Amino acid sequence: MIDAAFAEMFPLSDDTTPYRKLDGDFVTTEKFAGQDMVVVDPQALTRLSAEAFRDVSHLLRPGHLAQLRAIIDDPEASPNDRFVALELLKNANISASGILPMCQDTGTAIIMGKKGQRVWTGANDALYLSEGVAEAYTRLNLRYSQMSPVNAFDEVNTGNNLPAQIDLYATEGGAYKFMFMAKGGGSANKTFLFQETKAVLNPASMEKFLREKVQYLGTSACPPYHLAVVIGGTSAETALKTVKLASARYLDGLPTKGGKFGHAIRDLELEQQILEMTRTLGIGAQFGGKYFCHDVRVIRLPRHGASCPVAIGVSCSADRQMWGKITKDGLFLEALETDPAKYMPEVRIDKLSETVVNIDLNQPMDQIRATLSQYPIKTRVNLTGTMIVARDIAHAKLKERLDSGAGLPDYFKNHPVYYAGPAKTPEGYASGSFGPTTAGRMDAYVDLFQKHGGSMVMVAKGNRGQAVTDACKAYGGFYLGSIGGAAAQLAQQSIKKVEVLEYPELGMEAVWKIEVENFPAFVIVDDKGNDFFKQL
């Protein structure tokens, strides 16, 4: 019998998610072939999608906020762990106001829907869901990050953050269930697939394999992470899709024991072992310590006997996903935390890190570097003064100037450079959300620029390559790590003025000039060739 042989690959337990109901009359019921059909006005899809991406851009789950608070309360957490956790909680409180999004990279909009066979919309569901995405991104203070190819090498910004990634499935029942996710480029870039063999399927080999691969994730995707590991898969793409769902805790309700029927399972014991391993790496919550990961999910899938894919991925500090559903009773979205202040501790910031150095950025660059040179890596600094903002395309433009013999502009020599790209600035605010981008993407420019007197002090997130450490040692430069995932906090508390300096046609990729006050960072690479991440 086919029924006896078939098993749902992802048999989840009952949904216990707390939901809130949306206003409006979008759903009716009608009879068809003797069954009650849930008839949905397709405008419901637009409404649900728009509200979902508003919520995930500003609000977090209570469980995630509780994990941040637990770092502060843990006596084994490092001072830097606690400092980052506090900054992320402060960021959550600012973002919850609904004006500044929690991260400047407001992400690719991803929607997964499972439509029961007794649900009728009578429309192109992806079109209506996309309209909701465009409405949220154009109406709110979010960033447009989607690039459309003109040809194989040239591209333009779509101007509304479309296209979204929309995957719709047919299933049984009378409900339409959704996962909405905003996935930033930093965490998406830390998704990996490894084509292994059965040789990895033993405790010793798996531990060795994961220790190497997990450490390679680094900090550029803004830890503490929700780490997902998927072992097996009927195809490579199944493993990769599963790792994304697991990192969002969508698969938490899987059974923990398997058999011959081919369904996925969670391995709770291996999850705990990997979590303990991550706490011994020394990376911590971005700048050293225990909390590289909040938690770990390990999903074991069936596989072809000659293939053993292993997928690894993360959900970052901007932990943006939520569930939604449409039933005969109406439209519902997961109830995220609207009052994150309840998770804030009474903590004195000056007790969170042993050394905090104030740096005046308005003094000559040589004096800024002389001050930084007095302190070891991992030192926390507060930056006040002028910074130049430039990222990928701006760096390419500046290299073109060097290649043509024009030289670097004085602003790039006289001020630190912050690798970032802002979200839209709300009316009445000095800045939109404005957190750091991944430093490693600019590594190839550092030696050349420092040789010509630029990029002498760089501010961004994540680890750098050896070429950057070598250049800083050769030319007397510094790389300072900023706190990834706290873009709203930085915009409201530290960034006092923002203006376009050059290349306005590049939008958020333009060269900007910003004025900052008490902008927090850490010394990661110094002028002596020391690299915090290399010393772990």
Side-chain angles (χ1 to χ4, degrees):
M1 292 290 291
I2 292 177
D3 287 346
F6 173 78
E8 172 67 37
M9 187 177 291
F10 299 101
L12 300 177
S13 57
D14 292 341
D15 184 8
T16 59
T17 304
Y19 288 95
R20 65 178 182 89
K21 186 176 181 181
L22 277 58
D23 296 332
D25 297 321
F26 295 96
V27 180
T28 59
T29 56
E30 296 182 19
K31 288 286 187 181
F32 175 77
Q35 293 189 330
D36 287 332
M37 296 291 294
V38 179
V39 180
V40 180
D41 182 339
Q43 291 295 333
L45 302 174
T46 301
R47 172 77 184 283
L48 196 71
S49 175
E51 292 218 17
F53 284 103
R54 180 198 65 185
D55 283 5
V56 296
S57 297
H58 292 279
L59 304 174
L60 291 159
R61 287 171 166 157
H64 178 84
L65 293 165
Q67 287 175 311
L68 287 172
R69 173 59 189 267
I71 294 173
I72 296 173
D73 293 336
D74 184 358
E76 295 182 355
S78 73
N80 289 341
D81 278 339
R82 292 195 292 273
F83 177 73
V84 170
L86 181 61
E87 291 298 294
L88 292 175
L89 282 174
K90 288 157 66 177
N91 189 68
N93 278 274
I94 293 169
S95 177
S97 68
I99 299 172
L100 293 169
M102 68 183 73
C103 180
Q104 84 287 345
D105 183 351
T106 47
T108 297
I110 298 173
I111 303 172
M112 182 185 72
K114 294 186 175 181
K115 187 177 186 179
Q117 87 273 30
R118 289 187 283 108
V119 177
W120 171 261
T121 59
N124 181 344
D125 292 4
L127 171 64
Y128 283 89
L129 290 166
S130 293
E131 286 183 356
V133 172
E135 178 184 329
Y137 277 84
T138 54
R139 177 170 52 88
L140 302 172
N141 299 308
L142 309 182
R143 196 176 84 184
Y144 311 140
S145 299
Q146 303 308 305
M147 307 299 292
S148 177
V150 177
N151 53 49
F153 304 106
D154 300 314
E155 53 191 11
V156 295
N157 195 297
T158 62
N160 55 13
N161 215 55
L162 293 177
Q165 177 185 320
I166 300 177
D167 300 312
L168 302 178
Y169 300 86
T171 188
E172 60 185 0
Y176 204 159
K177 297 182 179 181
F178 297 91
M179 180 190 75
F180 298 97
M181 174 184 288
K183 190 72 170 174
S187 61
N189 292 343
K190 293 302 180 180
T191 304
F192 298 100
L193 176 72
F194 305 95
Q195 294 286 15
E196 298 300 310
T197 69
K198 182 174 171 53
V200 81
L201 295 181
N202 63 80
S205 297
M206 184 61 70
E207 195 276 339
K208 180 180 178 182
F209 171 84
L210 290 175
R211 180 173 290 275
E212 174 189 342
K213 303 306 182 185
V214 169
Q215 184 165 276
Y216 182 73
L217 291 171
T219 63
S220 59
C222 307
Y225 297 134
H226 300 279
L227 172 65
V229 178
V230 173
I231 304 168
T234 49
S235 64
E237 58 268 30
T238 297
L240 288 169
K241 285 189 175 185
T242 303
V243 88
K244 181 176 290 184
L245 295 176
S247 71
R249 279 82 75 208
Y250 182 84
L251 301 176
D252 279 8
L254 284 175
T256 57
K257 295 189 177 185
K260 65 177 183 178
F261 299 109
H263 63 73
I265 61 171
R266 275 185 71 186
D267 190 320
L268 302 181
E269 183 178 353
L270 188 53
E271 289 177 2
Q272 189 59 37
Q273 291 172 4
I274 297 172
L275 180 61
E276 292 303 317
M277 179 263 288
T278 67
R279 292 180 170 174
T280 66
L281 297 176
I283 300 172
Q286 304 189 29
F287 304 107
K290 173 182 176 182
Y291 281 96
F292 187 53
C293 296
H294 284 302
D295 49 38
V296 178
R297 297 294 183 272
V298 175
I299 309 298
R300 181 66 161 88
L301 295 179
R303 68 182 184 91
H304 185 286
S307 175
C308 185
V310 179
I312 298 174
V314 299
S315 181
C316 66
S317 293
D319 186 44
R320 295 171 295 189
Q321 60 270 319
M322 67 186 305
W323 315 151
K325 63 182 179 180
I326 301 174
T327 71
K328 63 182 179 60
D329 298 315
L331 280 58
F332 299 86
L333 284 173
E334 182 176 353
L336 302 180
E337 181 57 71
T338 58
D339 182 24
K342 68 178 68 172
Y343 297 93
M344 290 288 291
E346 292 294 330
V347 175
R348 288 177 54 191
I349 294 178
D350 61 338
K351 296 296 184 183
L352 289 178
S353 190
E354 293 86 347
T355 304
V356 183
V357 179
N358 294 317
I359 306 291
D360 177 8
L361 301 182
N362 291 328
Q363 59 186 325
M365 178 56 69
D366 286 347
Q367 293 182 28
I368 295 173
R369 291 191 292 138
T371 301
L372 288 170
S373 188
Q374 300 173 40
Y375 298 95
I377 54 173
K378 289 179 60 177
T379 298
R380 183 156 69 94
V381 296
N382 280 337
L383 308 177
T384 299
T386 301
M387 287 201 293
I388 299 303
V389 178
R391 46 181 281 161
D392 306 63
I393 298 179
H395 274 65
K397 292 280 189 183
L398 293 172
K399 183 179 183 298
E400 289 175 6
R401 286 163 71 155
L402 274 177
D403 292 343
S404 69
L408 289 174
D410 286 343
Y411 63 71
F412 215 67
K413 301 176 182 179
N414 297 335
H415 304 288
V417 57
Y418 179 39
Y419 302 162
K424 287 181 282 187
T425 300
E427 185 176 351
Y429 280 66
S431 171
S433 290
F434 212 154
T437 196
T438 302
R441 298 204 308 272
M442 269 55 74
D443 281 8
Y445 299 98
V446 174
D447 185 84
L448 176 65
F449 286 3
Q450 288 193 348
K451 183 178 180 180
H452 288 82
S455 289
M456 299 310 298
V457 175
M458 302 160 286
V459 184
K461 68 176 182 178
N463 48 305
R464 309 298 297 262
Q466 185 62 40
V468 173
T469 303
D470 294 343
C472 287
K473 183 177 182 181
Y475 303 112
F478 293 85
Y479 167 52
L480 309 181
S482 180
I483 299 171
Q489 161 79 356
L490 291 172
Q492 180 158 304
Q493 301 296 333
S494 297
I495 301 176
K496 303 304 179 182
K497 185 179 179 181
V498 177
E499 58 182 298
V500 176
L501 196 59
E502 197 168 6
Y503 308 120
E505 70 276 9
L506 299 181
M508 68 94 176
E509 292 264 10
V511 174
W512 304 76
K513 179 181 177 181
I514 63 174
E515 301 295 329
V516 301
E517 184 177 302
N518 294 326
F519 187 105
F522 291 78
V523 179
I524 301 298
V525 177
D526 66 14
D527 57 347
K528 304 168 188 65
N530 298 309
D531 180 345
F532 161 67
F533 290 104
K534 293 289 192 304
Q535 290 194 6
L536 289 176

